Amino acid sequence: LLEELNRTAVTYPEQQCIHELFEAQVRQAPEAVAVVYQDQRVSYGELNARANQLAHHLIGLGVTPDQPVAICVARSVAMVVG
């Protein structure tokens, strides 16, 4: 049972970064459900909007590209946004 449920190996374009693959999914299906946590359902479009909002906030605080940022949140949709 564990082996069958965890069989998630798929091929993907290795030359693209994870954020590029995610944004391609947002363009392809923005209304599709990306995250389900308890009673919350968040679409790819909404998740992307929240992640961009966080990115712009961090930029406003002076965070630069490739600078590590620690994020401490409880298990939630916010964790996925981060």
Side-chain angles (χ1 to χ4, degrees):
L1 182 64
L2 288 176
E3 288 180 20
E4 290 299 316
L5 287 176
N6 288 320
R7 193 164 294 171
T8 58
V10 295
T11 58
Y12 63 93
E14 294 180 24
Q15 69 278 8
Q16 288 184 291
C17 296
I18 187 69
H19 72 278
E20 294 170 323
L21 295 169
F22 177 78
E23 288 173 351
Q25 180 63 29
V26 171
R27 287 189 299 276
Q28 185 177 15
E31 298 303 318
V33 176
V35 177
V36 176
Y37 179 71
Q38 295 179 346
D39 62 341
Q40 294 180 292
R41 300 174 80 79
V42 181
S43 71
Y44 280 98
E46 177 64 22
L47 184 60
N48 190 51
R50 291 184 193 186
N52 285 336
Q53 182 180 25
L54 174 60
H56 289 287
H57 176 71
L58 292 173
I59 290 167
L61 294 174
V63 175
T64 59
D66 297 323
Q67 181 179 358
V69 174
I71 298 173
C72 182
V73 295
R75 185 175 294 230
S76 64
V77 172
M79 183 174 74
V80 179
V81 169

